[in-house]
């Protein structure tokens, strides 16, 4: 972040050691947030191709769903894990999928997380939108995501808690993936 600001760069690009996850830094040094990496490239592809299906795991916000539906497509949820996402992508013939950890899966390239494919799609998106990264981020649905872990002293409580949650929210759409 400091380097992006100091060098007056248009953006920063960060990948993990095996180059399957991706995060961007806005020109002002603030994180684009890896949760929005998939959302941004999906927005670009849906703009380009029109309505299509997308998939993300349940450890992601609803931003991808909002963008997908705004383009006339359907967003599907998968259990956490690349294999679960790619399996669901095959089932629903998804245009793009991935995870809120910056993992982008673009089947037109191959069916695995690939940061370099994500970089190419993101840069193409920016070139077409003719916006700064921070400006573009503001056009996307804004969500805060909190990932808190709850450790239970008795693992058998999990089933009881889930059963009770299903009862409390029985009139709602419930996803038990």
């Amino acid at each position: 972040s400091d380097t992006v600001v100091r060098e007056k760069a248009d953006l920063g690009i960060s990948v993990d050691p095996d180059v399957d996850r991706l995060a961007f830094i806005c020109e002002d040094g603030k994180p684009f947030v890896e949760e929005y990496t998939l959302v941004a490239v999906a927005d670009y592809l849906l703009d380009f191709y029109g309505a299509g299906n997308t998939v993300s795991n349940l450890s992601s916000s609803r931003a991808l769903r909002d963008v997908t539906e705004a383009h006339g497509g359907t967003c599907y949820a998968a259990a956490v894990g690349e294999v679960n996402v790619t399996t669901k992508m095959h089932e629903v013939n998804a245009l793009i999928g991935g995870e809120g950890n910056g993992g982008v899966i673009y089947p037109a390239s191959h069916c695995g997380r690939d940061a370099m494919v994500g970089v190419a799609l993101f840069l193409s998106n920016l070139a077409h939108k003719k916006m700064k990264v921070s400006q573009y981020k503001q056009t996307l649905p804004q969500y805060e995501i909190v990932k808190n872990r709850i450790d239970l002293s008795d693992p058998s409580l999990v089933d009881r808690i889930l059963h009770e949650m299903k009862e409390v929210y029985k009139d709602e759409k419930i996803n038990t993936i």
Side-chain angles (χ1 to χ4, degrees):
S1 292
D2 292 341
T3 303
V4 169
V5 172
R6 184 178 61 250
E7 298 298 325
K8 297 180 175 77
D10 291 326
L11 78 154
I13 300 170
S14 179
V15 300
D16 67 334
D18 62 349
V19 196
D20 70 343
R21 287 178 284 166
L22 169 65
F24 296 103
I25 303 297
C26 300
E27 76 288 342
D28 59 7
K30 293 180 183 167
F32 188 77
V33 182
E34 67 273 7
E35 164 70 24
Y36 283 89
T37 301
L38 174 61
V39 176
V41 298
D43 184 44
Y44 170 64
L45 290 171
L46 292 164
D47 272 346
F48 190 80
Y49 290 107
N53 295 331
T54 62
V55 175
S56 67
N57 67 21
L58 290 171
S59 186
S60 303
S61 76
R62 292 185 289 183
L64 180 63
R65 182 198 64 193
D66 291 354
V67 165
T68 304
E69 290 176 355
H71 286 86
T74 302
C75 181
Y76 294 89
V80 173
E82 182 178 2
V83 68
N84 298 315
V85 173
T86 56
T87 298
K88 189 66 170 179
M89 289 176 70
H90 286 297
E91 287 174 17
V92 301
N93 194 31
L95 175 63
I96 186 113
E99 302 175 284
N101 61 10
V104 173
I105 304 167
Y106 184 43
S109 175
H110 65 92
C111 289
R113 292 186 309 208
D114 190 324
M116 295 298 94
V117 168
V119 168
L121 293 170
F122 188 84
L123 293 176
S124 294
N125 190 11
L126 286 181
H128 282 90
K129 299 259 195 253
K130 299 182 186 333
M131 295 179 164
K132 291 182 177 185
V133 179
S134 61
Q135 291 171 323
Y136 174 63
K137 185 177 182 205
Q138 293 307 309
T139 70
L140 298 172
Q142 299 298 304
Y143 286 97
E144 297 290 327
I145 190 164
V146 177
K147 297 180 182 183
N148 291 334
R149 179 184 168 119
I150 300 171
D151 291 317
L152 299 174
S153 58
D154 180 0
S156 68
L157 291 174
V158 172
D159 290 333
R160 201 164 80 209
I161 291 168
L162 291 175
H163 176 74
E164 183 64 26
M165 294 294 285
K166 287 179 191 174
E167 282 298 312
V168 169
Y169 295 103
K170 65 184 172 203
D171 295 332
E172 304 296 329
K173 182 178 177 186
I174 298 173
N175 184 336
T176 59
I177 293 177

